[in-house]
Amino acid sequence: MKESKNFIENIIDEDLASGLDQSLLKFRFPPEPNGFLHIGHVKAICVNFSLAKKYKAPVVLRFDDTNPVKEEQQYIDAIKKDISWLGFKWDEERFASDYFEQLYNWALELIKNGKAYVDSQSSTLMAEQKGTPTSPGENSIYRDRPIEENIRLFNEMRQGVYAEGKHVLRAKISMNANNMLLRDPVIYRVIKKEHPRTGSNWVVYPLYDWAHGESDYIEQISHSLCTLEFKPHRELYNWFLKQIADPNKLKPKQREFARLNLSYTVTSKRKLKNLIDQGHVTGWDDPRMPTVSGLRRRGYTPESLQSFVNTAGVAKRDNVIDVSLLEFCVRDHLNQVAPRVMAVLDPIKLNIINYPEGKDEILMGENNPEDESAGIREIPFSRDLYIEREDFREEANRKFFRLTLGKEVRLKNAYFITATSCEKDENGEITVIHCTYDPLTKSGMDTEESKRKVKGTLHWVSVKHAVKAEVRAYDRLFLDEAPDSHKDKDYMEFVNPNSLEVITAFVEPSLQTATIGERFQFQRLGYFCVDKDTSENKLVFNRTVPLRDSWTKMGE
């Protein structure tokens, strides 16, 4: 069977067939450390590291740290943690700031060759002079400044002589170019702020388009892969490389793939930070956030995120991937690896009237039917249990297969029971359900009684042995499928006010030893993860996903 390849792999294969030495293949992942990685970055990471693995090539992790206003060490640390957690290892760690001196010297060469000039106009005026996609731009009055004056001013910019905004360095390309990005782009500006790595050594900083391609060239990246919004930048990328590249050295090739757009989600770092600043979420790692740290805290696994990216594929055109695919991938993986336990989120008491008073017994439960090696665990059983309130109705039609008066159901890993009566409070709310059990129907017994056909099976927790826990039931953060696509509305208007429900639940005692980050299937309810807020005296669980996609049903 012929191997299926994506279009990037076909490009690389064509380059190799055209004479590119495979030993020269090299990839990179170049995040800006101005926030936390999100699900969109996961795709870029998987694309680059998977190609590196396939072609046995190195990967550079390069931090695009050219804007000290927004960049912090905490983001650098978080990015490295996230990539490692996803299961990838980079071969080299670099920073754009490593190349500040070389980039500056190349900029001086541009000036000397008449390809760059210092502009002293306001940013507003420069923007007006750019023109439009259908009309040409207008030359700056400083475009023909003498080379010697440009060199002096640029050196003085570096020395900190001028205030921010007083001067910028622009490439001299063409104010009539069809590609607006080629209309004399700014390549250096003055920023007087401490840099996380270089401190106060620099006060002039290169812009992305200048620093990025040149950094690729310094590192000899063979294929510079980025998302589609950078396709218009490719012409400028190549123009800059043409000015500085040695014809005898490899010149990087920029190619673009579709970014990962997820429904019911925003991934703009600015918009995510607004959610934090306005108190809609608690931080970058809030389990409702599409950040890697948020997804990890919610209970997603590296395997499920990689599976999601691989299933979504590498395309040439932007499209929106339904978040239900992401949820399917984590369900699929957790179904294989997560231990099964019992927890009751909305408890009502169940009293077994014919079970011996004061008696306790230990029942056995399978940890994971998908994994025989997972073994079994002990589950205490007693006369009084908690079950889910919605699992009982006094009266019900034939389609209700759970507990109702006079009807028999199975208790998971335990016995058959039949509801006989219930108690209510002064408001008519049911407080206790009374039932009987059949001692000859214990799970695992080979008796005629245990072979009776019973349609309903309920999970439960022994009241006497139950452990109280806080459960955080998370839902989608936005109610709209594309919250940031509306021209007449702000994405904040679509924030789901019910994206978090905090529940006091009861769980089986085996969970007392659960550790932070451990994932479980709460039987019949969904997948849950132990949150970092858990302490010696308090268990906290985050709901990763319900067992089934409730949103699909809502839309049907």
Side-chain angles (χ1 to χ4, degrees):
M1 185 175 177
K2 191 176 179 181
E3 181 189 2
S4 176
K5 296 181 180 180
N6 62 52
F7 79 96
I8 294 176
E9 291 170 330
N10 288 331
I11 289 171
I12 295 170
D13 287 347
E14 289 168 9
D15 290 340
L16 293 172
S18 299
L20 176 65
D21 192 323
Q22 183 157 348
S23 67
L24 296 178
L25 289 179
K26 197 175 191 181
F27 304 95
R28 88 288 173 269
F29 175 60
E32 183 181 359
N34 63 348
F36 283 63
L37 297 182
H38 55 64
I39 188 67
H41 294 114
V42 175
K43 178 175 181 178
I45 292 166
C46 288
V47 166
N48 282 285
F49 280 87
S50 297
L51 288 170
K53 182 178 180 181
K54 175 174 180 168
Y55 292 98
K56 297 180 174 57
V59 181
V60 176
L61 170 60
R62 182 206 313 141
F63 292 97
D64 178 31
D65 57 340
T66 58
N67 186 357
V69 173
K70 298 180 179 179
E71 293 152 7
E72 298 177 22
Q73 184 63 41
Q74 64 157 327
Y75 299 138
I76 294 171
D77 297 338
I79 288 168
K80 292 198 285 189
K81 178 181 178 181
D82 288 347
I83 297 172
S84 296
W85 176 77
L86 284 167
F88 298 112
K89 186 177 180 181
W90 53 93
D91 297 275
E92 300 174 38
E93 182 179 316
R94 299 289 184 89
F95 294 81
S97 57
D98 294 338
Y99 315 131
F100 278 175
E101 192 68 44
Q102 177 64 79
L103 293 171
Y104 184 84
N105 289 334
W106 274 332
L108 282 174
E109 289 300 312
L110 287 184
I111 296 172
K112 291 173 185 177
N113 294 330
K115 298 292 182 68
Y117 62 97
V118 173
D119 199 336
S120 307
Q121 299 179 115
S122 69
S123 58
T124 303
L125 184 55
M126 282 188 275
E128 291 173 357
Q129 291 171 347
K130 281 270 184 161
T132 70
T134 57
S135 63
E138 178 185 339
N139 286 350
S140 165
I141 59 172
Y142 297 105
R143 198 171 195 266
D144 295 320
R145 238 178 185 151
I147 288 173
E148 293 73 17
E149 185 180 351
N150 282 319
I151 292 172
R152 175 181 62 78
L153 288 170
F154 190 45
N155 282 328
E156 288 174 351
M157 286 167 64
R158 175 177 180 170
Q159 293 160 15
V161 172
Y162 303 110
E164 294 183 8
K166 179 68 176 175
H167 302 293
V168 294
L169 183 70
R170 298 176 69 179
K172 187 190 288 189
I173 305 178
S174 170
M175 293 302 288
N176 298 320
N178 291 328
N179 186 336
M180 296 284 289
L181 295 172
L182 269 67
R183 295 186 182 181
D184 289 10
V186 174
I187 57 176
Y188 268 94
R189 76 288 208 205
V190 174
I191 300 178
K192 294 187 174 180
K193 188 177 187 307
E194 197 86 359
H195 186 280
R197 295 187 74 246
T198 62
S200 56
N201 292 343
W202 288 88
V203 293
V204 287
Y205 289 92
L207 274 85
Y208 173 85
D209 280 317
W210 173 245
H212 186 68
E214 277 48 48
S215 296
D216 285 343
Y217 174 70
I218 292 169
E219 294 164 3
Q220 286 291 276
I221 303 301
S222 61
H223 295 80
S224 179
L225 307 174
C226 51
T227 46
L228 278 177
E229 65 264 34
F230 291 100
K231 189 169 185 177
H233 295 248
R234 192 202 294 183
E235 193 176 356
L236 181 57
Y237 180 96
N238 291 335
W239 188 90
F240 281 140
L241 285 178
K242 185 178 179 181
Q243 311 311 311
I244 60 99
D246 182 334
N248 297 315
K249 293 184 71 174
L250 180 143
K251 192 162 72 172
K253 175 184 282 190
Q254 177 179 307
R255 290 296 180 266
E256 308 82 20
F257 57 88
R259 63 179 294 168
L260 199 157
N261 300 302
L262 199 62
S263 65
Y264 298 97
T265 308
V266 299
T267 53
S268 157
K269 289 179 185 176
R270 177 182 60 80
K271 292 177 179 178
L272 292 177
K273 191 170 188 309
N274 285 344
L275 289 168
I276 298 170
D277 293 342
Q278 295 186 28
H280 293 291
V281 294
T282 57
W284 288 100
D285 70 344
D286 186 295
R288 290 164 290 186
M289 292 279 269
T291 55
V292 176
S293 53
L295 291 165
R296 177 171 58 240
R297 187 175 173 188
R298 185 155 173 169
Y300 277 78
T301 61
E303 294 86 350
S304 64
L305 296 182
Q306 288 190 43
S307 173
F308 169 65
V309 168
N310 292 335
T311 305
V314 180
K316 291 183 179 181
R317 294 183 179 179
D318 276 332
N319 60 345
V320 177
I321 307 297
D322 198 303
V323 70
S324 61
L325 176 61
L326 175 63
E327 293 167 350
F328 168 82
C329 289
V330 75
R331 282 191 195 96
D332 184 58
H333 185 240
L334 290 178
N335 179 54
Q336 300 169 45
V337 301
R340 275 52 167 170
V341 295
M342 290 195 284
V344 177
L345 303 191
D346 186 14
I348 188 170
K349 203 172 197 181
L350 179 75
N351 171 250
I352 308 174
I353 56 178
N354 64 330
Y355 191 85
E357 204 162 343
K359 178 183 175 181
D360 297 339
E361 65 177 306
I362 298 297
L363 305 178
M364 307 308 292
E366 200 174 9
N367 283 331
N368 189 342
E370 303 292 325
D371 180 7
E372 289 184 10
S373 67
I376 56 176
R377 71 190 187 286
E378 296 182 344
I379 311 168
F381 186 86
S382 61
R383 179 186 177 98
D384 293 309
L385 309 174
Y386 289 124
I387 65 169
E388 296 288 348
R389 186 172 295 275
E390 68 172 19
D391 281 344
F392 175 75
R393 293 181 190 171
E394 280 187 88
E395 298 177 4
N397 60 33
R398 292 182 179 179
K399 292 184 178 180
F400 186 75
F401 298 126
R402 287 167 279 177
L403 189 62
T404 189
L405 294 179
K407 184 178 177 181
E408 190 172 54
V409 298
R410 181 195 307 272
L411 292 177
K412 182 73 177 174
N413 301 121
Y415 300 94
F416 291 5
I417 59 168
T418 302
T420 56
S421 64
C422 59
E423 298 177 26
K424 300 179 182 180
D425 61 17
E426 61 273 14
N427 299 316
E429 195 79 21
I430 297 171
T431 55
V432 182
I433 305 160
H434 297 291
C435 69
T436 59
Y437 88 114
D438 185 342
L440 296 179
T441 59
K442 184 177 180 179
S443 182
M445 275 187 173
D446 186 17
T447 62
E448 287 301 314
E449 289 80 1
S450 66
K451 294 175 183 176
R452 289 199 298 268
K453 288 186 178 179
V454 177
K455 287 189 175 179
T457 300
L458 309 185
H459 63 278
W460 52 272
V461 176
S462 165
V463 171
K464 183 177 179 181
H465 306 90
V467 177
K468 189 179 285 189
E470 179 181 302
V471 171
R472 298 169 182 174
Y474 291 102
D475 208 338
R476 295 179 186 175
L477 188 54
F478 292 96
L479 296 170
D480 189 84
E481 189 173 359
D484 56 353
S485 67
H486 301 268
K487 293 180 180 178
D488 56 338
K489 291 186 178 181
D490 187 82
Y491 71 103
M492 287 287 191
E493 294 181 43
F494 301 104
V495 171
N496 180 3
N498 301 311
S499 62
L500 169 61
E501 181 185 3
V502 180
I503 299 165
T504 299
F506 291 100
V507 301
E508 65 174 72
S510 68
L511 288 169
Q512 280 181 302
T513 57
T515 56
I516 292 170
E518 218 174 337
R519 306 171 186 92
F520 300 90
Q521 184 195 102
F522 287 3
Q523 290 180 304
R524 299 179 64 232
L525 298 175
Y527 294 98
F528 294 77
C529 175
V530 184
D531 188 70
K532 67 177 186 179
D533 290 342
T534 290
S535 64
E536 191 176 340
N537 302 315
K538 183 181 181 182
L539 269 174
V540 181
F541 291 92
N542 298 324
R543 184 174 70 186
T544 308
V545 282
L547 276 185
R548 293 171 186 83
D549 182 2
S550 58
W551 278 72
T552 300
K553 292 179 181 178
M554 288 166 61
E556 290 175 350

